[in-house]
């Protein structure tokens, strides 16, 4: 509908200018004003005239009447004045042309190229090594990847970075715990779970024996000074953890371009600290080095601890500078829980105070916290769900359903995997990202209603129709309203892409997929497709199915879901 809105806006603008050109609007502003009426009886597109009332010194219904003939064009079948609105009904001619466009573009439909030649860095997932990879990480992982796919869809070159939490005092703890209670073979066999167990044990033991904490600090200091044994252990812990994360990423179809985590910036921090000093931004507070941000209504940004060691913000500042120098990004996007919003606001401000114009290109995309059964996630009390367990449960459930309903399905393991993992991702991305989520396992594993499996199933249905049709159909006349409605929904895809990008909001795509599926299923139930008596009617319907198929296919990829052709 974008091009239609633009065309209507040009025409409305002409008319307005004839009347009174002091309205202060341009074609883009007018194009933004169109609304989609909530009810079909009110047309397909409405132009609200209230906003023009003041500038034109006329009542909205009078303005609507005045504009009515400016929207008379082949795309508009009729226009009605209703209160202050000009309601427009789209013509079959336009819908047919649109459908032709969609199919001509195929998987390129919905794409733009305004990102061409520009780079976007995305920092997402970024778990802390040797800590459990749990449902709290699902958000950053799938929102981040979805934003990457969306930016690529509009032409950007995207660099996905997994800023691993691979540095910090927790490694001192782990080294101590491993030497006291650990065993190489057990860890090699048990992987990250064994590391987590050691970490949890360390905390329990340190409560009774606080001296353990001192030992941990010492071991971390040794690590910072490149003690060979500690470095070897540290590398091994990372390897074990990464192997585990990568299994999950593989299930999701996610690949990162870089795993440069916090440790990567160790040797880049002294220069940053020196720069802050040279630019007179740092002050000493109780022995620690900070950047005071009182003037900006924020607490101080901590740069160095009392013992001179660096902190999380220091590493982020060094990483941002490195990324700007390396990639010359147009934007660098960070996806983390909203709990870190202050951290990002603080160090973004520090980068700005350092005089870097590109501080304004750093974007924090927060998402709501996840709780389970109303309680905060907590590794130590066991109130966590590991991502791998969650995926396994869902995949198992799908496998069971396939066994029962379609036992001869070829490649059923792969399908179960795609649909099972997709169900969880879809469930998560149906919510607005900023909303806090109370995760209820039964809901995530319920495949009824507006779910991932339902959408995947609809997609598979389009595949099977196309397979049976043995061709992609061709354009012809519409004979049922459900066909028209379906094209109207498909026509909104490019707008949805822009909205999702503008709001950094994958949910817009998830909900759009549901709109497409619901609209397709209404069409499917009210129209015979392959079985239509008339050859031309059949061709049109197959042609429509083809368009739905390719929109769903690209949209699934945008939200990190693998489309499956058969279920
Ligand atoms: N490792 C951090 C955590 O688990 C997230 C890192 C986000 N990225 C960043 N550049 N700070 O909380």
């Amino acid at each position: 509908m974008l091009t239609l809105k633009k065309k209507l806006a040009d025409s409305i603008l002409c008319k307005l200018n004839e009347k009174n050109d002091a309205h202060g609007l341009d074609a883009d502003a007018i194009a933004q004003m169109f609304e989609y009426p909530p009810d079909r009886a009110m047309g397909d597109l409405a132009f609200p005239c209230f906003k023009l009332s003041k500038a034109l010194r006329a009542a909205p219904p009078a303005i609507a009447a005045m504009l009515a003939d400016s929207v008379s064009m082949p795309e508009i079948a009729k226009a009605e004045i209703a209160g202050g609105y000009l309601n427009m009904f789209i013509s079959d001619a336009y819908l047919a042309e649109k459908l032709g466009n969609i199919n001509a573009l195929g998987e390129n439909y919905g794409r733009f190229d305004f990102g061409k030649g520009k780079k976007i860095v995305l920092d997402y997932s970024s778990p802390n090594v040797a800590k459990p990879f749990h449902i709290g990480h699902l958000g950053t992982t799938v929102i981040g990847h979805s934003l990457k796919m969306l930016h690529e869809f509009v032409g950007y070159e995207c660099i996905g970075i997994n800023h691993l939490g691979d540095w910090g005092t927790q490694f001192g703890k782990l080294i101590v715990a491993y030497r006291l209670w650990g065993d190489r073979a057990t860890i090699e066999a048990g992987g990250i779970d064994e590391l987590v167990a050691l970490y949890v044990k360390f905390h329990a033991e340190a409560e009774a024996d606080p001296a353990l904490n001192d030992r941990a600090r010492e071991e971390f200091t040794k690590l910072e000074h490149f003690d060979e044994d500690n470095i070897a252990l540290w590398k091994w812990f990372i390897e074990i953890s990464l192997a585990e994360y990568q299994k999950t990423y593989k299930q999701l179809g996610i690949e990162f371009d870089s795993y440069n985590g916090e440790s990567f910036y160790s040797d880049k921090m002294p220069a940053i600290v020196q720069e802050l000093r040279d630019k007179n931004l740092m002050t000493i507070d109780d022995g620690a080095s900070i950047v005071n941000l009182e003037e900006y209504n924020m607490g101080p940004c901590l740069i160095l601890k009392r013992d001179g060691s660096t902190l999380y913000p220091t590493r982020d500042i060094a990483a941002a500078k490195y990324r700007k120098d390396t990639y010359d990004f147009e934007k660098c996007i960070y996806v983390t829980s909203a709990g870190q919003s202050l951290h990002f606001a603080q160090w973004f401000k520090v980068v700005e105070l350092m005089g870097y114009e590109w501080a304004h290109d750093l974007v924090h995309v927060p998402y709501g916290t996840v709780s389970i059964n109303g309680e905060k996630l907590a590794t130590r009390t066991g109130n966590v769900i590991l991502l791998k367990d969650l995926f396994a449960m869902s995949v198992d459930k799908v496998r069971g359903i396939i066994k029962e309903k379609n036992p001869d399905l070829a490649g059923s393991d792969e399908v179960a995997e795609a649909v099972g993992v997709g169900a969880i991702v879809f469930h998560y991305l149906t919510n607005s990202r900023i909303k806090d989520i109370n995760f209820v396992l039964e809901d995530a594993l319920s495949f009824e209603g507006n779910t991932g499996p339902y959408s995947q199933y609809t997609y598979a249905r389009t595949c099977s129709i196309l397979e049976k049709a043995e061709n992609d159909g061709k354009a012809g006349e519409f004979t049922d309203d459900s066909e028209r409605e379906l094209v109207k929904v498909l026509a909104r895809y490019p707008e949805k892409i822009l909205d999702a990008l503008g709001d950094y909001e994958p949910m817009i795509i998830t909900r759009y997929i549901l709109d497409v599926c619901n609209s397709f299923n209404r069409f499917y139930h009210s129209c015979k497709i392959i079985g239509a008596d008339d050859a031309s009617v059949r061709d049109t319907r197959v042609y429509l199915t083809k368009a739905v198929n390719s929109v769903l296919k690209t949209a699934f990829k945008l939200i990190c879901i693998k489309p499956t052709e058969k279920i």
Side-chain angles (χ1 to χ4, degrees), residues 323-377:
R323 291 172 188 173
K324 183 66 192 174
D325 293 344
T326 309
Y327 305 111
D328 194 22
F329 53 74
E330 184 182 86
K331 272 185 207 166
C332 181
I333 297 170
Y334 300 82
V335 185
T336 77
S337 113
Q340 296 195 30
S341 293
L342 178 61
H343 159 75
F344 283 96
Q346 287 171 322
W347 76 259
F348 286 1
K349 183 51 98 182
V350 172
V351 175
E352 185 189 323
L353 294 175
M354 288 168 90
Y356 293 116
E357 211 27 66
W358 50 264
H360 302 287
D361 306 327
L362 303 171
V363 182
H364 180 226
V365 175
Y367 61 89
T369 51
V370 182
S371 50
I372 301 174
N373 301 328
E375 278 175 54
K376 245 182 97 173
L377 296 187

Side-chain angles (χ1 to χ4, degrees), residues 123-128 137 140 163-165 262 312 316 319 323 334-336 340 343-344 347:
D123 173 321
Y124 64 104
S125 201
S126 312
N128 292 330
H137 297 100
T140 170
H163 188 74
L164 285 178
E262 295 188 37
Y312 186 44
D316 259 331
R323 291 172 188 173
Y334 300 82
V335 185
T336 77
Q340 296 195 30
H343 159 75
F344 283 96
W347 76 259

Side-chain angles (χ1 to χ4, degrees), residues 148-382:
K148 184 179 183 211
M149 294 296 104
L150 277 161
H151 282 89
E152 279 179 0
F153 207 57
V154 298
Y156 287 101
E157 181 186 332
C158 292
I159 298 106
I161 301 183
N162 196 321
H163 188 74
L164 285 178
D166 60 2
W167 204 240
T169 41
Q170 76 264 31
F171 287 98
K173 296 177 184 172
L174 210 54
I175 290 169
V176 171
Y178 173 68
R179 294 211 175 108
L180 285 174
W181 314 296
D183 160 68
R184 198 162 190 106
T186 315
I187 293 176
E188 305 237 282
I192 196 169
D193 296 346
E194 291 297 328
L195 293 180
V196 174
L198 278 178
Y199 190 73
V200 171
K201 183 166 168 82
F202 179 91
H203 279 275
E205 299 278 336
E207 266 185 28
D209 178 10
L212 282 174
N213 284 317
D214 299 329
R215 280 179 68 184
R217 258 189 297 277
E218 277 162 32
E219 293 304 335
F220 181 60
T221 309
K222 274 164 77 184
L223 183 64
E224 279 186 302
H225 292 93
F226 306 107
D227 173 87
E228 230 174 87
D229 290 345
N230 282 9
I231 288 277
L233 272 181
W234 166 74
K235 280 197 176 146
W236 180 55
F237 294 151
I238 294 177
E239 223 175 85
I240 300 269
S241 307
L242 214 56
E244 179 75 34
Y245 304 149
Q246 268 158 347
K247 281 188 218 155
T248 306
Y249 295 141
K250 193 156 174 252
Q251 286 185 294
L252 286 163
I254 294 181
E255 277 174 29
F256 288 92
D257 301 291
S258 159
Y259 280 94
N260 286 340
E262 295 188 37
S263 68
F264 178 78
Y265 302 99
S266 299
D267 63 350
K268 296 165 184 65
M269 277 179 307
I272 291 291
V273 173
Q274 191 55 44
E275 191 179 337
L276 287 167
R277 222 172 257 134
D278 293 345
K279 290 181 173 165
N280 282 325
L281 292 168
M282 246 174 15
T283 49
I284 306 292
D285 185 74
D286 199 18
S289 303
I290 62 161
V291 177
N292 188 313
L293 298 172
E294 226 168 283
E295 209 179 309
Y296 311 98
N297 294 318
M298 289 185 277
C301 183
L302 307 178
I303 304 296
L304 295 177
K305 281 197 224 166
R306 253 205 268 188
D307 63 6
S309 56
T310 58
L311 286 143
Y312 186 44
T314 331
R315 300 197 270 273
D316 259 331
I317 296 170
K321 173 89 169 45
Y322 174 84
R323 291 172 188 173
K324 183 66 192 174
D325 293 344
T326 309
Y327 305 111
D328 194 22
F329 53 74
E330 184 182 86
K331 272 185 207 166
C332 181
I333 297 170
Y334 300 82
V335 185
T336 77
S337 113
Q340 296 195 30
S341 293
L342 178 61
H343 159 75
F344 283 96
Q346 287 171 322
W347 76 259
F348 286 1
K349 183 51 98 182
V350 172
V351 175
E352 185 189 323
L353 294 175
M354 288 168 90
Y356 293 116
E357 211 27 66
W358 50 264
H360 302 287
D361 306 327
L362 303 171
V363 182
H364 180 226
V365 175
Y367 61 89
T369 51
V370 182
S371 50
I372 301 174
N373 301 328
E375 278 175 54
K376 245 182 97 173
L377 296 187
T379 313
R380 284 182 223 160
T381 62

